[in-house]
């Protein structure tokens, strides 16, 4: 969805005199979204098996830690030093890696849950010959 690109409003950040950790202003509505979503799914999480719940929470923590936490750290750095340097690029890479690892842990949690409830899974792949060739 590229939500954070939509929520980057430079003029609003300047008008509110935000900088440092809030240099990228989208982290404020992003954090509110995380809190509201977390509260909405709290009952669901509490009813999951312990292993699945722990993996979901780990995955979410890694993902949000990268998406919001590292974004705030890189914002602080960008405000102080700038964005056109190696350190900023490395920090951004860590942010993206954390997001990808969070997704991988979440996929593991889902597959582990499915594996604990199903004995077998049948998967079929049919390759259809392209008639235009």
């Amino acid at each position: 969805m590229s939500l954070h690109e939509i929520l980057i409003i430079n003029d609003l950040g300047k008008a509110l005199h935000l900088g440092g950790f809030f240099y990228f202003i989208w982290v404020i509505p992003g954090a509110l979204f995380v809190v509201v979503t977390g509260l909405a799914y709290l009952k669901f999480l509490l009813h999951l098996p312990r292993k699945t719940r722990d993996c979901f929470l780990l995955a979410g923590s890694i993902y949000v830690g990268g998406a919001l936490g590292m974004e705030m750290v890189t914002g602080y750095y960008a405000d102080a030093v700038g964005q056109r340097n190696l350190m900023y690029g490395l920090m951004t890479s860590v942010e993206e890696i954390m997001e990808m690892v969070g997704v991988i842990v979440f996929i593991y949690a889902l597959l582990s849950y499915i594996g604990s409830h199903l004995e077998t899974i049948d998967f079929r792949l049919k390759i259809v010959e392209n008639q235009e060739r």
Side-chain angles (χ1 to χ4, degrees):
M1 281 180 29
S2 299
L3 186 62
H4 70 283
E5 279 85 2
I6 294 169
L7 295 174
I8 295 173
I9 306 167
N10 292 328
D11 293 337
L12 181 60
K14 290 175 185 174
L16 297 174
H17 304 291
L18 296 176
F21 290 113
F22 300 111
Y23 180 75
F24 298 120
I25 195 166
W26 78 266
V27 298
I28 297 169
L32 291 172
F33 176 78
V34 168
V35 170
V36 169
T37 304
L39 291 173
Y41 281 93
L42 185 61
K43 186 176 178 182
F44 169 77
L45 278 171
L46 293 175
H47 285 85
L48 288 172
R50 182 181 173 96
K51 179 184 175 188
T52 305
R53 178 178 59 239
D54 291 347
C55 284
F56 276 22
L57 290 172
L58 177 64
S61 298
I62 294 170
Y63 186 89
V64 172
L68 282 175
M70 279 304 296
E71 185 81 2
M72 291 174 76
V73 171
T74 56
Y76 183 85
Y77 185 83
D79 191 30
V81 179
Q83 296 178 10
R84 296 181 182 258
N85 56 65
L86 178 62
M87 184 56 78
Y88 179 81
L90 292 172
M91 293 168 80
T92 302
S93 296
V94 169
E95 171 194 334
E96 298 299 328
I97 289 168
M98 288 177 71
E99 291 173 13
M100 289 185 269
V101 170
V103 170
I104 291 168
V105 172
F106 185 65
I107 291 169
Y108 166 79
L110 291 172
L111 291 175
S112 177
Y113 179 80
I114 291 169
S116 68
H117 286 77
L118 295 176
E119 202 168 295
T120 61
I121 297 176
D122 291 324
F123 180 75
R124 295 180 192 191
L125 180 65
K126 182 178 180 182
I127 300 174
V128 178
E129 187 177 323
N130 189 348
Q131 300 297 329
E132 294 177 11
R133 287 187 182 178

